[in-house]
Amino acid sequence: MKIVCTKSNLVKGVSIVSKAVPSKTTMSILECVLIDATTDIIRLTANDMELGIQTDIEGEIIERGMIAIDAKFFSEIVRKLPDSDVIIETDESLQTTIVCEKAKFNISGKPGDEFSYLPIIEKDESIEVSQFTLKEVIRQTIFSIADSDSNKLMTGELFEIKNNMLRVVSLDGHRISIRKIALNADVTDKKLVVPGKTLIEISKILSGEAESKVNISYTNNHIVFEFDNTVVVSRLLEGEYFKIDQMLSSDYDTKVRINKKELLNCIDRATLLVKEGDKKPIIINIGDEIMELKIKSQIGSMNEEIMINKEGKDLLIGFNPKFLIDALRVIDDEEVTLYLMNAKAPCFIKDDNETYIYLILPVNFNAAG
């Protein structure tokens, strides 16, 4: 095999597929990036058997062939080459030469035919959304997946297609994040649970442009994202996702309309008094036109008042400040509406059309504190 391509194309391609290289594996072939130049396209692939990514890069194929090269070494070498054309050449003994200007590397490769190709997915159905929308939806929900495997389903997000709407849901036992998007075409109802790891890696690759589309196709076991000459294939998480509709309520005794930035900044300031790992609640006292926020720790205490529009009852309630900050940071509206029932019931932050819903459970606190 002999190919020539620019350093920038190579760096971009390698950085995209490297996201599917496993950090730990007993199969050394999975630690490699496959360079496939057996057709008229230079295709790079990495696959950890749960998540696989392939991307096509521009370049010239002088001699067809393929080789698997250690991803870590290859990535580091390519990144540090001069900004010029890179020539990659392999011989029959799988020795690979990488030349760029006066820099020349020789490394051993592995047979390309030993590499695990991405599974060929018989696409049952597909939906299309803009890259901007998908990137935003991931950003606005991914923070509330669970990071432990104690419940595998909580480490993923529900993609529920129903009535030509896509609803994306994440939860970790303390809070729920929901985003809804209208779809442009008629599609059959479907529920899929996509691993959080897959979505995190995809959001890093997406350009986020409103004009660029992502085609999302799926079977019962796999989901495929296709965009910008790149294909991402991921296994789905198995099992029945939580019945979240039973946890959602439209009842409330207290409704608060508040400037989002003011509330976010206030809670952010309050957390200056909380050490990492300390579980100090922020106590919110909702009155007629004023919301008072208080926090008390070993370092000191803080209280601040914010003007609000309130309907319904006064309320004293406590929350983990981080959970409020996480939700408020990803809401783009200038004002937010909070719906509350009592000090032991969840708080809902949602817009009028319920395109987003954030449910946050309160925490116990000593009212005197």
Side-chain angles (χ1 to χ4, degrees), residues 24 36 99 107 189 198-199 214 229 258 264 266 286 329 346:
K24 289 178 185 171
D36 185 344
V99 178
I107 53 175
D189 293 357
T198 297
L199 296 172
V214 183
N229 298 323
I258 189 166
L264 176 57
C266 176
I286 300 166
R329 269 197 184 135

Side-chain angles (χ1 to χ4, degrees), residues 112-128:
D113 52 14
E114 287 182 10
F115 194 84
S116 298
Y117 278 91
L118 300 194
I120 293 166
I121 307 299
E122 294 292 331
K123 296 168 187 174
D124 297 348
E125 272 199 287
S126 67
I127 57 173
E128 195 172 68

Side-chain angles (χ1 to χ4, degrees), residues 340-359:
L340 305 113
M341 200 74 179
N342 57 55
K344 292 182 179 174
C347 165
F348 290 89
I349 307 173
K350 55 187 175 182
D351 61 338
D352 295 342
N353 298 322
E354 298 196 353
T355 56
Y356 66 79
I357 302 173
Y358 296 98
L359 176 160

Side-chain angles (χ1 to χ4, degrees), residues 1-14 33-37 42-44 57-71 73-75 77-79 81 84-91 94-101 103-110:
M1 181 191 83
K2 186 176 183 180
I3 59 170
V4 183
C5 55
T6 64
K7 177 201 167 176
S8 59
N9 282 347
L10 201 52
V11 167
K12 188 180 174 189
V14 173
V33 167
L34 178 71
I35 304 173
D36 185 344
I42 301 171
R43 177 165 289 168
L44 306 179
I57 61 170
E58 284 184 24
E60 185 187 355
I61 300 169
I62 295 163
E63 198 176 307
R64 292 187 181 192
M66 62 176 170
I67 190 81
I69 304 176
D70 183 285
F73 287 130
F74 187 50
S75 173
I77 288 168
V78 167
R79 246 177 1 100
L81 288 173
S84 190
D85 282 355
V86 182
I87 302 162
I88 301 172
E89 192 171 3
T90 60
D91 63 19
L94 305 176
Q95 281 299 308
T96 304
T97 309
I98 303 165
V99 178
C100 182
E101 290 184 2
K104 184 176 181 181
F105 287 86
N106 274 305
I107 53 175
S108 299
K110 289 187 168 69

